[in-house]
């Protein structure tokens, strides 16, 4: 949030708190306060142990969801028509709604929207100079691509639609021109604040309720009393993937999802009040949904509950976890990074356009498609914990192995001795084996598959058959050789874009930046070189990418050396 008059912050906060109270939000053990220009507003504890640890309760009626938007008197009819035509998805509706409400002079959401950030530090808002700090990284390319796609979407669809919706409000100034920055703002508000909320099914599908003209939707008493949830997961590598509508799932302890009872429907939405909780590596609180009111006394509500009710200090900020995200995703979505982030990862991919220049490209492309092959993979930092150079003992490494090799048809291709320490996913190695095949190897693979077809079984070769045949003929050598080449190319791109890892270390050491909180938005100058919080974040991110590339390259080179010794 941009710096401004402290009195203005207080006035807006006062209006927002009155608005929360008018909408039946209960701040039972917390307050919302301004944290400074870097963090905006946050949630803070005002009381110690209050028995149940519940510090905030928000009625689900207040959540901004696709259901609410489709029922809105102003935008609902037009959005319903677009939705039924299949021309838009849930997320698009949310962004359009936010834009319209922000530009309406008499919006009922004004106290809430006024308290939200007006600008962001995520990469979509970077200046050209700031973005130049990321040259050579995956994030640099992803940001440029997303900026281009968002601008095209704005020009083709968003601008005219929002202006049309605004014209239906008689009090709106007819001279208002919708700007691209309005769309960029709505996009960032959604991606930084939306939660994946487990709504009671009866709330999402109100036809199951009493049809007696209720002004607000209430909950079915048959739904479970509480459902625990976390913030929705997003990734810069899948931002354009449309979510499934009304997927019925349940969050498990390890952060994954499974099918849940038909009484729960997960829906993305903004929950005013709870969405002012900032991120912490160690979450001080979680949120839960109370469908019947058995926990909070408020049916169909979301509540914030302290993780450690006994030892939480009065005045301490209440943070939630945004999920296990690497610096690439944190910088892209939120505009900050975590130094030495344990959840960092490296994205490695084989360029699809390069496939056209390899020998027998058409045949290999068919084999890749038949295998449902992956041409990119995410390599989490944690994989290095059981690699060739980790400090874990052999038994510990072997216990972590999740690789699988298909059997050898001839018995000539044996399982490699280095398997327990190979950190690279087999799905990606299978793709690289296919791409790296020599002409004579390709002919052998085709011959093996033809033998299988001639064995009397009336069936097409499965993806497993193809993978087994390729492993039988090729082994790992060609795939590992190609992987080493890809990692070396990635390191070259990173260093050509922004210098070496040692150079990044020199920058960070020179400015003696120990904590992100110590870096103010205002520039600091040392020896004629300026440093901002944004630049610090960029250097930390790109340094981490170079470090991971170096470490994974070392793993790949070691695997290649061992593989070369075991070639039949």
């Amino acid at each position: 949030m941009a710096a401004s008059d402290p009195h203005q912050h207080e006035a807006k906060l006062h209006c927002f708190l009155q608005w929360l109270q008018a909408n039946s939000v209960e701040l039972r053990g917390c307050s919302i306060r301004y944290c400074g220009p870097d963090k905006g507003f946050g949630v803070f504890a005002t009381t110690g142990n209050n028995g149940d640890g519940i510090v905030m309760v928000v009625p689900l009626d207040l959540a901004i969801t696709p259901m609410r938007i489709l029922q809105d008197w102003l935008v609902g009819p037009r959005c319903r028509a677009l939705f039924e035509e299949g021309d838009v998805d849930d997320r698009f509706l949310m962004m359009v709604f936010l834009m319209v409400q922000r530009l309406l002079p008499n919006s009922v959401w004004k106290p809430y929207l006024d308290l939200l950030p007006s600008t962001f530090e995520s990469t979509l808002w970077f200046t050209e100079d700031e973005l130049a700090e990321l040259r050579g990284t995956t994030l640099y390319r992803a940001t440029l691509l997303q900026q281009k796609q968002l601008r095209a979407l704005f020009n083709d669809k968003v601008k005219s639609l929002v202006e049309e919706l605004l014209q239906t409000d008689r009090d709106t100034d007819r001279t208002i021109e919708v700007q691209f920055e309005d769309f960029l703002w709505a996009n960032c508000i959604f991606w930084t604040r939306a939660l994946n909320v487990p709504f009671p099914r009866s709330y999402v599908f109100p036809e199951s309720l009493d049809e007696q003209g209720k002004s607000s939707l209430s909950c079915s008493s048959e739904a479970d009393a509480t459902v625990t949830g976390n913030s929705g997961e997003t990734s810069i590598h899948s931002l354009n993937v449309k979510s499934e509508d009304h997927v019925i799932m349940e969050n498990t302890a390890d952060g994954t999802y499974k099918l849940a009872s038909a009484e729960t429907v997960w829906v993305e939405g903004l929950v005013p009040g709870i969405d002012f909780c900032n991120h912490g590596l160690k979450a001080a609180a979680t949120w839960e949904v109370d469908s019947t009111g058995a926990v909070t006394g408020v049916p169909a509500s979301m509540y914030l509950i302290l993780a450690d009710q006994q030892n939480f200090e009065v005045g301490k900020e209440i943070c939630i976890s945004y999920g296990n995200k690497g610096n690439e995703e944190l910088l892209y979505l939120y505009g900050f990074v975590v130094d030495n982030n344990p959840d960092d990862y490296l994205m490695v991919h084989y360029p699809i356009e390069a496939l056209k220049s390899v020998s027998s490209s058409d045949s290999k492309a068919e084999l890749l498609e038949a295998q449902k092959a992956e041409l990119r993979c995410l390599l989490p930092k944690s994989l290095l914990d059981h690699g060739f150079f980790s400090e874990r003992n052999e038994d510990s490494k072997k216990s972590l192995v999740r690789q699988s090799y298909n059997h050898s048809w001839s018995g000539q291709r044996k399982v490699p001795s280095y398997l327990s320490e190979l950190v690279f996913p087999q799905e990606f190695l299978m793709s690289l084996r296919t791409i790296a095949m020599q002409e004579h190897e390709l002919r052998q693979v085709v011959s093996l598959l033809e033998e299988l077809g001639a064995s009397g079984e009336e069936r097409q070769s499965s993806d497993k058959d193809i993978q087994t045949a390729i492993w039988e003929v090729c082994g790992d050598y060609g795939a590992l050789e190609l992987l080493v080449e890809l990692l070396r190319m990635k390191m070259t791109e990173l260093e050509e874009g922004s210098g070496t890892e040692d150079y990044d270390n020199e920058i960070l050491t020179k400015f003696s930046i120990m904590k992100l909180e110590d870096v103010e938005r205002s520039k600091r100058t040392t020896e004629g070189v300026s440093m901002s919080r944004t630049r610090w974040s960029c250097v930390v991110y790109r340094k981490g990418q170079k470090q991971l590339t170096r470490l994974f390259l070392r793993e790949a080179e070691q695997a290649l050396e061992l593989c070369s010794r075991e070639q039949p």
Side-chain angles (χ1 to χ4, degrees):
M1 177 179 287
S4 60
D5 184 352
H7 296 294
Q8 188 178 37
H9 288 306
E10 289 301 319
K12 289 181 177 179
L13 178 57
H14 179 71
C15 290
F16 176 62
L17 293 176
Q18 287 185 321
W19 182 82
L20 288 180
Q21 186 176 14
N23 284 280
S24 303
V25 175
E26 300 177 13
L27 303 183
R28 296 185 179 180
C30 68
S31 64
I32 298 174
R33 301 208 306 258
Y34 184 61
C35 305
D38 291 338
K39 294 176 68 174
F41 290 87
V43 180
F44 294 81
T46 56
T47 60
N49 180 23
N50 62 357
D52 59 9
I54 297 173
V55 294
M56 186 188 304
V57 182
V58 181
L60 291 179
D61 275 343
L62 195 59
I64 300 177
T65 63
M67 299 96 71
R68 171 181 281 278
I69 294 166
L70 294 176
Q71 295 168 1
D72 184 79
W73 70 272
L74 180 64
V75 306
R78 184 73 176 96
C79 286
R80 280 198 300 274
L82 290 171
F83 197 72
E84 289 167 1
E85 293 168 6
D87 202 29
V88 300
D89 62 15
D90 292 357
R91 293 170 178 173
F92 181 90
L93 292 182
M94 297 271 287
M95 293 173 199
V96 166
F97 181 80
L98 287 168
M99 292 174 68
V100 170
Q101 296 302 324
R102 190 186 191 208
L103 294 170
L104 283 176
N106 57 350
S107 171
V108 297
W109 297 94
K110 181 174 174 56
Y112 169 60
L113 299 178
D114 281 350
L115 213 64
L116 297 180
S118 56
T119 60
F120 295 84
E121 295 185 337
S122 57
T123 59
L124 289 175
W125 291 76
F126 274 16
T127 65
E128 287 187 14
D129 289 342
E130 289 170 337
L131 197 56
E133 297 285 349
L134 300 177
R135 282 199 183 106
T137 66
T138 303
L139 184 50
Y140 178 79
R141 295 186 292 272
T143 299
L144 291 177
L145 178 61
Q146 189 70 355
Q147 285 176 335
K148 181 180 178 180
Q149 291 176 339
L150 288 175
R151 192 169 288 278
L153 181 59
F154 173 77
N155 291 331
D156 294 344
K157 186 180 295 185
V158 174
K159 179 178 171 65
S160 58
L161 175 60
V162 173
E163 289 178 347
E164 174 191 340
L165 293 171
L166 287 171
Q167 295 303 314
T168 61
D169 181 68
R170 289 177 294 182
D171 297 330
T172 301
D173 185 351
R174 295 297 190 267
T175 64
I176 290 179
E177 183 177 357
V178 180
Q179 305 291 332
F180 174 67
E181 286 70 23
D182 296 320
F183 180 44
L184 194 58
W185 170 86
N187 177 274
C188 289
I189 288 293
F190 174 82
W191 283 108
T192 57
R193 307 183 84 87
L195 301 173
N196 206 15
V197 185
F199 279 87
R201 184 177 180 83
S202 57
Y203 201 95
V204 178
F205 302 107
E207 64 271 13
S208 64
L209 296 177
D210 227 35
E211 311 233 344
Q212 300 300 319
K214 296 186 179 180
S215 59
S216 63
L217 301 177
S218 60
C219 248
S220 167
S221 60
E222 296 176 0
D224 294 334
T226 62
V227 184
T228 303
N230 294 312
S231 57
E233 294 296 319
T234 55
S235 167
I236 73 167
H237 307 298
S238 60
L239 286 181
N240 297 316
V241 178
K242 182 179 182 296
S243 62
E244 293 294 327
D245 299 324
H246 311 311
V247 177
I248 302 175
M249 305 176 109
E250 181 180 356
N251 198 2
T252 60
D254 61 359
T256 60
Y257 293 92
K258 65 180 181 180
L259 290 178
S261 70
E263 295 302 329
T264 300
V265 180
W266 289 79
V267 178
E268 290 175 312
L270 302 178
V271 186
I274 289 179
D275 67 343
F276 283 96
C277 289
N278 289 311
H279 171 68
L281 281 179
K282 186 177 181 181
T286 58
W287 54 260
E288 301 183 7
V289 168
D290 182 7
S291 58
T292 64
V295 177
T296 63
V298 182
S301 64
M302 177 183 284
Y303 60 96
L304 192 66
I305 184 168
L306 296 177
D308 184 357
Q309 302 170 21
Q310 300 297 324
N311 302 310
F312 205 78
E313 301 174 9
V314 174
K316 184 177 179 181
E317 185 174 6
I318 301 173
C319 295
I320 61 175
S321 172
Y322 291 177
N324 299 329
K325 292 179 170 59
N327 282 339
E328 191 162 279
E329 195 167 0
L330 290 174
L331 187 55
Y332 180 87
L333 290 175
Y334 305 105
F336 69 85
V337 296
V338 176
D339 202 4
N340 297 315
N341 189 340
D343 297 310
D344 233 348
Y345 55 78
L346 183 73
M347 201 274 274
V348 181
H349 79 287
Y350 183 87
I352 187 65
E353 60 272 13
L355 186 61
K356 299 175 183 177
S357 62
V358 302
S359 61
S360 304
S361 58
D362 291 342
S363 298
K364 291 179 180 179
E366 290 177 6
L367 289 173
L368 288 170
E369 184 177 0
Q371 296 175 76
K372 305 177 183 66
E374 295 287 342
L375 293 183
R376 65 182 181 183
C377 73
L378 293 181
L379 300 174
K381 188 178 187 178
S382 58
L383 287 176
L384 296 167
D385 290 343
H386 60 96
F388 295 109
F389 304 97
S390 72
E391 297 178 357
R392 292 175 181 250
N393 60 45
E394 292 302 314
D395 291 339
S396 176
K397 289 179 183 180
K398 290 178 181 178
S399 69
L400 289 169
V401 172
R402 289 183 291 272
Q403 312 279 17
S404 63
Y405 280 74
N406 290 303
H407 67 280
S408 174
W409 289 350
S410 68
Q412 296 300 310
R413 182 71 64 186
K414 300 186 183 300
V415 174
S417 63
Y418 51 81
L419 177 58
S420 65
E421 296 172 298
L422 189 63
V423 300
F424 301 101
Q426 281 300 311
E427 293 80 8
F428 189 56
L429 289 178
M430 288 171 186
S431 301
L432 297 185
R433 289 187 196 115
T434 305
I435 295 169
M437 274 193 296
Q438 302 296 316
E439 288 292 334
H440 71 280
E441 292 174 327
L442 179 58
R443 289 194 293 271
Q444 286 179 265
V445 168
V446 172
S447 177
L448 283 175
L449 294 174
E450 288 176 347
E451 285 180 27
L452 181 64
S455 64
E457 297 183 26
E458 295 291 332
R459 65 180 181 87
Q460 292 284 337
S461 298
S462 68
D463 56 343
K464 294 298 182 185
D465 293 332
I466 297 171
Q467 291 162 8
T468 301
I470 294 174
W471 160 247
E472 167 81 8
V473 171
C474 304
D476 278 337
Y477 188 81
L480 290 172
E481 197 173 39
L482 182 53
L483 178 59
V484 167
E485 182 182 345
L486 290 175
L487 288 167
R488 286 176 178 169
M489 288 173 56
K490 188 169 186 70
M491 181 62 84
T492 299
E493 289 177 1
L494 288 167
E495 291 182 343
E496 287 179 348
S498 58
T500 65
E501 185 182 342
D502 287 341
Y503 172 68
D504 292 335
N505 276 324
E506 288 175 13
I507 293 176
L508 297 176
T509 301
K510 181 182 295 184
F511 291 98
S512 301
I513 300 174
M514 303 301 294
K515 294 182 179 179
L516 188 62
E517 290 76 12
D518 296 333
V519 186
E520 302 296 337
R521 189 182 298 271
S522 60
K523 292 184 176 180
R524 298 179 175 185
T525 303
T526 303
E527 297 181 9
V529 183
S530 63
M531 169 68 80
S532 67
R533 180 176 184 268
T534 295
R535 189 183 179 209
W536 181 86
S537 296
C538 290
V539 175
V540 170
Y541 158 66
R542 76 192 192 202
K543 173 198 164 188
Q545 292 292 287
K546 292 165 191 172
Q547 181 185 59
L548 287 177
T549 303
R550 172 173 54 81
L551 294 175
F552 279 112
L553 175 58
R554 184 172 66 158
E555 293 285 337
E557 289 173 336
Q558 179 69 8
L560 180 60
E561 181 180 344
L562 295 175
C563 180
S564 66
R565 299 176 190 171
E566 300 181 10
Q567 282 287 92

